[in-house]
Amino acid sequence: MSEIKPDIIFKYFPDLSDKQIEQFSQLFDLYSHWNAQINVISRKDIEELYERHVLHSLGIAKVCNFKAGESILDVGTGGGFPGIPLAILFPETQFYLVDSIGKKIKVVKEVASALGLDNLKAEHLRAEQVKEKFNFIISRAVTRLGDFYPWIQGKFKKDSLNAIPNGILYLKGGDLAEEIKESKLKAELYPLSDYFEEDFFDTKYVVYVPQ
């Protein structure tokens, strides 16, 4: 087993099942293995996997608690973020991960298979090619919000099951005022520093845009 431990995850999510603890614990070795072959995480970042990738992805869970039976689309998932950590956390929610780069989706499929994630499907597609509708659409800083929105417009289910209405949950960093204004979207910002004390999260947000 690796020296890099997922303790930071357990600090903020203390009520995990034994299976979830095991799945989170496997992530470092799995990503180290696949990243050596297909670079999905910058080499210098792999040591920070649990803070900068896994916990960052789970920031969405602090804003929205996905329900059993909901379906979530992860656009431009790259190596599986935020979709894979969230699929571990919400085993009764369905996740659909897409990316336009085939080798990244190969990594996602291999990691998901090794973890036994049967609530996750991954495909080599652009967001515009996805035909289904979803409760929430998630993504991690793929592009500016104004450019992102047309890709996923019309892909939301009508009925909401959650405490917050169906919409976009977008992980983004920096000063977002201008980007939100430019997008002309009604967005709410949730600073991740409200939930996580590490410096990395000081300028990171979940941007929520109701559909």
Side-chain angles (χ1 to χ4, degrees):
M1 284 298 287
S2 68
E3 294 302 306
I4 306 289
K5 300 270 189 287
D7 296 350
I8 194 169
I9 307 304
F10 310 149
K11 169 176 157 186
Y12 292 110
F13 295 90
D15 301 323
L16 300 172
S17 68
D18 290 346
K19 182 178 180 182
Q20 288 170 318
I21 289 169
E22 176 59 26
Q23 287 170 320
F24 280 122
S25 299
Q26 286 176 277
L27 287 176
F28 181 78
D29 287 346
L30 285 169
Y31 276 107
S32 297
H33 171 75
W34 284 106
N35 210 52
Q37 299 171 56
I38 300 169
N39 195 17
V40 290
I41 292 166
S42 81
R43 298 272 194 257
K44 65 180 193 308
D45 239 16
I46 193 82
E47 301 281 307
E48 309 292 342
L49 177 82
Y50 283 114
E51 180 180 303
R52 296 185 181 176
H53 298 279
V54 182
L55 188 61
H56 188 211
S57 297
L58 294 175
I60 287 175
K62 293 294 189 184
V63 174
C64 183
N65 203 4
F66 295 134
K67 305 292 184 208
E70 285 189 315
S71 59
I72 316 295
L73 173 66
D74 179 359
V75 172
T77 187
F81 301 100
I84 283 178
L86 290 166
I88 294 173
L89 194 65
F90 298 107
E92 297 188 357
T93 303
Q94 296 302 311
F95 289 85
Y96 186 30
L97 281 56
V98 300
D99 201 282
S100 60
I101 299 171
K103 63 184 184 181
K104 292 188 174 180
I105 285 296
K106 175 179 166 55
V107 174
V108 172
K109 287 180 172 177
E110 294 286 355
V111 171
S113 170
L115 294 171
L117 287 176
D118 52 11
N119 61 330
L120 185 152
K121 182 172 81 163
E123 287 195 285
H124 175 206
L125 283 177
R126 299 179 67 79
E128 301 94 317
Q129 297 170 287
V130 175
K131 298 288 184 274
E132 296 98 305
K133 291 187 171 4
F134 301 87
N135 297 97
F136 291 96
I137 295 178
I138 60 176
S139 192
R140 188 164 75 145
V142 173
T143 185
R144 292 176 79 81
L145 263 178
D147 297 328
F148 181 77
Y149 192 72
W151 299 352
I152 52 88
Q153 220 166 346
K155 295 196 198 308
F156 293 100
K157 291 183 176 179
K158 293 259 185 298
D159 297 335
S160 291
L161 307 174
N162 216 296
I164 63 173
N166 295 347
I168 300 169
L169 291 159
Y170 202 65
L171 288 164
K172 201 93 206 253
D175 183 357
L176 300 172
E178 184 192 330
E179 182 174 334
I180 289 168
K181 188 176 166 191
E182 166 197 280
S183 75
K184 299 186 170 59
L185 295 169
K186 178 172 166 271
E188 291 175 48
L189 289 179
Y190 292 86
L192 288 180
S193 57
D194 286 358
Y195 311 105
F196 306 138
E197 64 186 14
E198 288 71 21
D199 293 345
F200 175 74
F201 298 103
D202 284 354
T203 57
K204 304 286 190 294
Y205 298 88
V206 174
V207 183
Y208 167 58
V209 181
Q211 65 139 327

